[in-house]
Amino acid sequence: MGEKSVNLKALAAHLDLTVSTVSRALNDYSDISPATRERVKLAADQLGYRPNQNARRLSIGTPETVCYLMPRQIGPNAQPFVAQLLAGLGEALNERNWDLLVSQADASVGDLASIERLVRSGRIAGLVISRPLKNDPRVNLMQSLGCPFVVHGRTEKCDDYAWYDVDGEDAFVTAINHLARLGHRRIGFIGAPLQYQFAQERLDGYIRGLTHNGLAHETELVQIAEFTDEGGTAAAGILMDLLQPPTALVCVTDMMALGALEALHARKLTPGKDVSVIGYDGLHFGKHANPPLTTMAQPQAHAGRRLGDILLSIIDGADPTKFHELQRAHLVQRSTDGPVSSNAGQANVSEREDSP
Amino acid sequence: MGEKSVNLKALAAHLDLTVSTVSRALNDYSDISPATRERVKLAADQLGYRPNQNARRLSIGTPETVCYLMPRQIGPNAQPFVAQLLAGLGEALNERNWDLLVSQADASVGDLASIERLVRSGRIAGLVISRPLKNDPRVNLMQSLGCPFVVHGRTEKCDDYAWYDVDGEDAFVTAINHLARLGHRRIGFIGAPLQYQFAQERLDGYIRGLTHNGLAHETELVQIAEFTDEGGTAAAGILMDLLQPPTALVCVTDMMALGALEALHARKLTPGKDVSVIGYDGLHFGKHANPPLTTMAQPQAHAGRRLGDILLSIIDGADPTKFHELQRAHLVQRSTDGPVSSNAGQANVSEREDSP
DNA sequence: ACCGTATCCGAAACCGGTTTCGGAGCGCAA
DNA sequence: TTGCGCTCCGAAACCGGTTTCGGATACGGT
C-alpha cells in the first residue's frame, strides 16, 4: 500500500550506483559490464521496478500509443465488430508494449478539432480511422498534420495513404451474379447514404453486376436509408410496394437485411422463397435470423490485427502508399436466397387481395 | 509539416516572457495580470499551442487516463455491448479531457502480471473490470495495489469495492414468475460455468423463483455450457432429450437462448408454443430471431457512463464502498414465451417417432 | 617506467511541462 | 525620505526517465 512505487532513483540508491548506470544496464547498453548488468536486473526484478511510462515517453520522444477513432453512430444497434477489431489491434500493439487509446470525437468540439488536439498534444503516434466518407476531411487533416494513420475502408481518392478494406464492389457483383443465376431479373438495392464511401462502392457493384448480367438499372429499385434495421424495413417496404416489386433484395449491411426481412414478413412474403435477400457483413447473428440470412461475409477476424501491423510499419517509417490491402468477401449461403418464384411479382399482390 | 509543434518554450520566446509566466497565465493563476493573461492566451490560440500531455502528466503526477479491461472471450460471437460501454465511458472521461485506454491482458504474461505492470508503470489512474469471477483475483490485486477501480458486475463478496451491476438474481425470479403464471412447472436452466459470478447469481434466481412458486428444483434440469450459441444448442439438446423434458427454458445469455432455439427447431418444436424460451441481455438482435426472442433486458445504455462517473469519483478520493449500484432488468416480451402446451412433453416424442 | 587503449561508470544535460520561492517595481502612509 | 505592503513576473527546482560526454581505472605493449 503505502510504499511509493520504486523509481529509478530508489533502485540506484539501493544498488549504490547512479541512475544513468542503472538505466543503461536495464536497456542493455554495451558499455555496462555483464556483472553489474545482471546485478541490476536482478534487483529490479526483486524490487518490482516498473519504469514510469510518462517519464519514459517524454524522454524517448514518442508516446508509444496509437488511437482508434470510434465510429460515431453507436445507437442501440451497436457495432458488434468493434470489440473484435479492438482485440486485433491490441494484439498487434501488445507485442511492442504499446498502448491502445480509443476516442470518440467530442461532440461539443467537433471531429476535426478533437483529432487535431489529440495529435498536437503528443499523446499518440498514429491513428486508425473507421468507415470514411467519400471525401473524408479527417484524412486530409491527418495528412496535413503529418501524423501516421491507416484507414479501415477507403475514400474516393485513396492513392496517397494506407488503408485496409474489403472489396464491397466485387462483393455486390458476386451477389448479383448469384441472384441472376437463380433467375432473378428485378433486384432491389437497399443502401446507405452515399456520402459513405462503402455505400457508394456497393452501389457501384450492384450496377456493374446488373449490366454484367444484361439487366437494366432502374432507379426506382434503389432505395437509400439509414443503416439500421428500421432503415432496412422502410426501404424494403417502399420497394415491395412498387407496381412491379423486385424478386430479390441486396442490402449494404446485415442489419438492414434483417430489417428488410421484417418488411417481407409484414407482407406475408417468405424470404428465400417469394423474395430473396442477401446481406453484407457476415454477422454471426445472421445464422439465427428468420430465416437464416444469406450474406456476403467479410473476414473480420484479421482486420484489427492487420490495421495494427500496418500502422506500426508506417510509424517505423515505411511508405504509407505501399499499404493498400483489399480483401474479398465471400458468399455465405444460408436460407434467404433461392430461385425466383414462379408467381414472381404476384405473390404479394394476391396475398394482399385476400387480406381485408 | 516540418514545423516542430510549438511548445511552451517557443511560445514564451515569442511573447518575450518566461515559460513559468506563460504556464501560469494559461492555467489562470491569480498572480498574473489580466492583461498579460489575455495576451498569452491569444498568442497560444494563434500559434495553436497544445501542451504536451506526457510532460504535463509527468509533472502533474497523474496519468489522467483510465483503462477498460476487455473481457477475454472475443470469439466470433463478439460482445456487442463493448462498443456501447466504451462510448459511455468515453463520454464521462471526455468531460475532463481524460483518456481511455483499452487493454486485454496479454496472454503470454497472464492477466494478473499484465495488470500489475499496467498500474505500476504509472500509465493509468483507474481501471474498469468486466465480468468478474465468483472470486476474482483481479479485484484482490487491485486492492493490494491501492489503485482505484470499479467492477462491472460483482464478485461473491462485494462489500469493500465499487461496482455497478444488474440484478441477475432478481431478473431470473421475474422470469420464473412469468413462466409459472403461464402454467409451466418444469423449467430448464441453461447456464454458464459457475466460476462466473453472474452465472451463479442467475442460477440462484432460478432456484429462488422455483421455490417461490412451489416448484421442485431438479438437478437434471440445470445444464451448464459455454456461453455461446453452440453452448446453448448443446445444453438445450440435453434438456429436451430428457425422459421428462422441460416445457420452458431460461438462459443466462441471449446468445445461448438463440442457440437453444436451434435445438428446438431441430426437434421440430416451436418456441413459444411447444416450449417457451427466455433469454437475458436484451440484445437488439433478438428482435429478428426466429421467432423474436423474449428476454430479460438490462439497461445497457448507461452502464459505461455510470462506470466512468463512479471511477472518477473514486479517483477524486471518494469512498469506493459507497458505490454499489444495482439496476433491475425488465421482461421484454416478444414471441418465445407462451402458455404451457396441452400436449406438453409429448410433442417431441411423437415427432421423433415418425422420423426415420 | 611510460604511454596508449579499452573497459566501465559517474556527471550532467535534456524531454516539456508545473510549482515554489524570492525579488523587482510601484504606490502610499508616516 | 524611509519603510511597508502589494502586484506581477523571473529563476530554479522538480517530475522520472534517457543519452551524451568525459574521466578514472586497469591492462597491454615497448
Side-chain angles (χ1 to χ4, degrees):
Chain A
M1 290 275 198
E3 353 172 359
K4 305 295 296 177
S5 68
V6 296
N7 53 12
L8 206 53
K9 198 189 305 184
L11 181 57
H14 174 83
L15 284 167
D16 249 322
L17 290 172
T18 61
V19 290
S20 69
T21 303
V22 175
S23 172
R24 280 174 313 180
L26 291 175
N27 291 330
D28 289 322
Y29 273 57
S30 62
D31 64 347
I32 300 291
S33 75
T36 61
R37 184 182 324 171
E38 290 315 311
R39 195 165 70 96
V40 168
K41 287 192 174 178
L42 187 70
D45 255 17
Q46 290 176 340
L47 273 69
Y49 165 74
R50 308 286 174 204
N52 180 309
Q53 294 295 347
N54 277 319
R56 173 158 195 281
R57 290 166 180 175
L58 169 60
S59 183
I60 287 291
T62 165
E64 290 186 333
T65 300
V66 308
C67 174
Y68 173 72
L69 216 53
M70 285 234 286
R72 258 263 150 272
Q73 163 175 5
I74 300 283
N77 5 18
Q79 313 294 340
F81 43 82
V82 167
Q84 276 191 64
L85 199 127
L86 288 178
L89 261 176
E91 191 185 308
L93 296 176
N94 257 345
E95 292 177 2
R96 287 205 188 188
N97 287 316
W98 279 42
D99 286 336
L100 174 56
L101 211 62
V102 316
S103 160
Q104 39 192 344
D106 189 345
S108 66
V109 183
D111 266 29
L112 296 187
S114 60
I115 291 179
E116 195 256 354
R117 275 208 332 214
L118 196 59
V119 327
R120 301 287 295 263
S121 71
R123 274 177 292 187
I124 62 171
L127 184 66
V128 180
I129 296 177
S130 267
R131 197 191 292 147
L133 303 180
K134 210 183 284 186
N135 185 342
D136 202 304
R138 295 174 299 176
V139 327
N140 300 328
L141 175 60
M142 291 302 289
Q143 293 192 120
S144 70
L145 286 173
C147 176
F149 69 101
V150 59
V151 178
H152 188 198
R154 283 171 290 172
T155 58
E156 209 165 18
K157 290 192 294 290
C158 56
D159 306 328
D160 52 352
Y161 62 86
W163 48 261
Y164 172 102
D165 198 5
V166 176
D167 194 336
E169 183 173 345
D170 174 79
F172 270 69
V173 172
T174 304
I176 300 298
N177 283 344
H178 179 65
L179 291 171
R181 255 194 308 276
L182 290 171
H184 295 275
R185 302 195 56 81
R186 280 186 73 75
I187 304 175
F189 177 84
I190 296 183
L194 293 183
Q195 52 180 338
Y196 292 101
Q197 174 64 16
F198 79 87
Q200 180 67 57
E201 277 170 24
R202 296 173 199 179
L203 176 56
D204 291 346
Y206 165 75
I207 295 174
R208 210 179 78 193
L210 290 183
T211 60
H212 181 262
N213 286 281
L215 302 177
H217 163 37
E218 303 181 24
T219 54
E220 68 171 5
L221 289 181
V222 171
Q223 284 297 324
I224 305 295
E226 290 304 313
F227 45 109
T228 62
D229 49 354
E230 287 90 352
T233 304
I238 294 176
L239 288 173
M240 297 316 297
D241 289 343
L242 291 175
L243 284 181
Q244 293 190 30
T247 64
L249 302 173
V250 291
C251 312
V252 294
T253 67
D254 277 353
M255 209 40 143
M256 297 192 85
L258 293 177
L261 295 184
E262 300 300 329
L264 296 182
H265 290 144
R267 288 165 178 73
K268 303 270 192 292
L269 293 168
T270 304
K273 198 157 159 294
D274 298 325
V275 178
S276 287
V277 175
I278 298 186
Y280 182 101
D281 273 341
L283 291 192
H284 185 70
F285 178 84
K287 221 167 67 177
H288 304 288
N290 179 19
L293 181 67
T294 294
T295 183
M296 298 302 300
Q298 31 178 334
Q300 282 289 3
H302 299 107
R305 176 69 210 217
R306 288 304 302 144
L307 285 167
D309 287 338
I310 292 173
L311 186 50
L312 286 176
S313 297
I314 297 173
I315 292 173
D316 285 343
D319 179 2
T321 65
K322 295 280 183 256
F323 299 96
H324 295 162
E325 285 196 26
L326 197 54
Q327 299 289 322
R328 294 191 59 165
H330 62 279
L331 180 68
V332 171
Q333 253 181 298
R334 291 200 276 242
S335 311
T336 55
D337 61 311
V340 61
S341 88
S342 49
N343 56 347
Q346 303 303 325
N348 60 340
V349 176
S350 56
E351 284 288 342
R352 292 201 295 169
E353 276 173 348
D354 10 0
S355 67
Chain B
M1 292 273 195
E3 351 172 1
K4 304 296 296 176
S5 68
V6 297
N7 53 11
L8 206 52
K9 198 189 305 184
L11 182 55
H14 176 82
L15 284 167
D16 249 320
L17 290 173
T18 61
V19 290
S20 69
T21 302
V22 175
S23 172
R24 282 174 313 182
L26 292 174
N27 291 331
D28 289 323
Y29 273 55
S30 63
D31 65 344
I32 300 291
S33 75
T36 61
R37 183 180 324 170
E38 290 315 312
R39 193 165 72 96
V40 168
K41 288 192 176 181
L42 187 70
D45 255 18
Q46 290 177 338
L47 274 69
Y49 166 73
R50 306 289 174 202
N52 180 309
Q53 295 295 346
N54 278 318
R56 172 159 196 281
R57 288 165 180 174
L58 169 60
S59 182
I60 286 290
T62 165
E64 291 186 332
T65 300
V66 309
C67 174
Y68 172 72
L69 215 52
M70 286 234 287
R72 254 271 145 268
Q73 163 175 6
I74 300 282
N77 4 19
Q79 313 294 342
F81 43 83
V82 166
Q84 276 191 63
L85 199 127
L86 288 178
L89 261 176
E91 191 186 308
L93 296 176
N94 257 344
E95 292 177 2
R96 286 205 189 188
N97 287 317
W98 279 42
D99 285 337
L100 174 56
L101 211 61
V102 317
S103 160
Q104 40 192 345
D106 189 346
S108 67
V109 182
D111 267 28
L112 297 186
S114 61
I115 291 179
E116 195 257 354
R117 274 209 330 215
L118 195 58
V119 328
R120 301 287 295 264
S121 71
R123 272 176 293 185
I124 62 170
L127 185 66
V128 180
I129 296 177
S130 267
R131 197 190 291 148
L133 302 180
K134 209 185 283 186
N135 185 340
D136 201 304
R138 294 175 299 177
V139 327
N140 299 328
L141 174 61
M142 291 304 289
Q143 293 190 120
S144 71
L145 286 174
C147 176
F149 69 102
V150 60
V151 178
H152 188 197
R154 282 171 290 172
T155 59
E156 208 165 20
K157 291 191 295 289
C158 56
D159 307 327
D160 52 351
Y161 62 85
W163 48 262
Y164 172 102
D165 199 6
V166 177
D167 194 335
E169 183 173 345
D170 174 80
F172 270 69
V173 172
T174 303
I176 301 296
N177 284 344
H178 179 65
L179 291 171
R181 254 195 308 276
L182 289 172
H184 295 276
R185 302 194 57 81
R186 281 186 74 75
I187 304 175
F189 177 85
I190 296 183
L194 294 181
Q195 52 180 339
Y196 291 102
Q197 174 64 14
F198 80 87
Q200 180 67 57
E201 277 169 24
R202 297 173 198 179
L203 177 57
D204 292 346
Y206 165 75
I207 296 173
R208 211 179 81 195
L210 290 182
T211 61
H212 180 262
N213 286 282
L215 302 177
H217 164 39
E218 302 181 25
T219 54
E220 69 172 6
L221 289 181
V222 171
Q223 283 299 323
I224 305 295
E226 290 304 313
F227 44 109
T228 61
D229 50 353
E230 287 90 353
T233 303
I238 295 176
L239 288 172
M240 298 316 297
D241 289 343
L242 291 174
L243 284 181
Q244 293 190 29
T247 65
L249 302 173
V250 292
C251 312
V252 294
T253 67
D254 277 352
M255 212 38 150
M256 297 191 85
L258 294 177
L261 296 184
E262 298 301 327
L264 296 182
H265 289 145
R267 288 166 179 72
K268 303 269 193 290
L269 293 168
T270 304
K273 196 154 160 296
D274 299 325
V275 178
S276 288
V277 175
I278 298 185
Y280 182 101
D281 274 341
L283 292 193
H284 186 71
F285 268 157
K287 221 168 66 177
H288 303 287
N290 179 19
L293 181 66
T294 295
T295 183
M296 300 299 302
Q298 31 178 336
Q300 281 288 3
H302 299 106
R305 177 70 209 216
R306 288 301 304 144
L307 286 166
D309 287 338
I310 292 173
L311 186 51
L312 286 176
S313 297
I314 297 174
I315 292 173
D316 285 342
D319 179 3
T321 66
K322 295 280 183 254
F323 299 96
H324 294 163
E325 286 196 25
L326 197 54
Q327 299 289 324
R328 294 191 60 165
H330 63 278
L331 180 67
V332 171
Q333 252 181 298
R334 292 199 275 241
S335 310
T336 57
D337 62 311
V340 62
S341 88
S342 50
N343 58 346
Q346 303 303 326
N348 61 337
V349 175
S350 57
E351 284 289 342
R352 292 202 298 167
E353 275 171 350
D354 9 357
S355 67

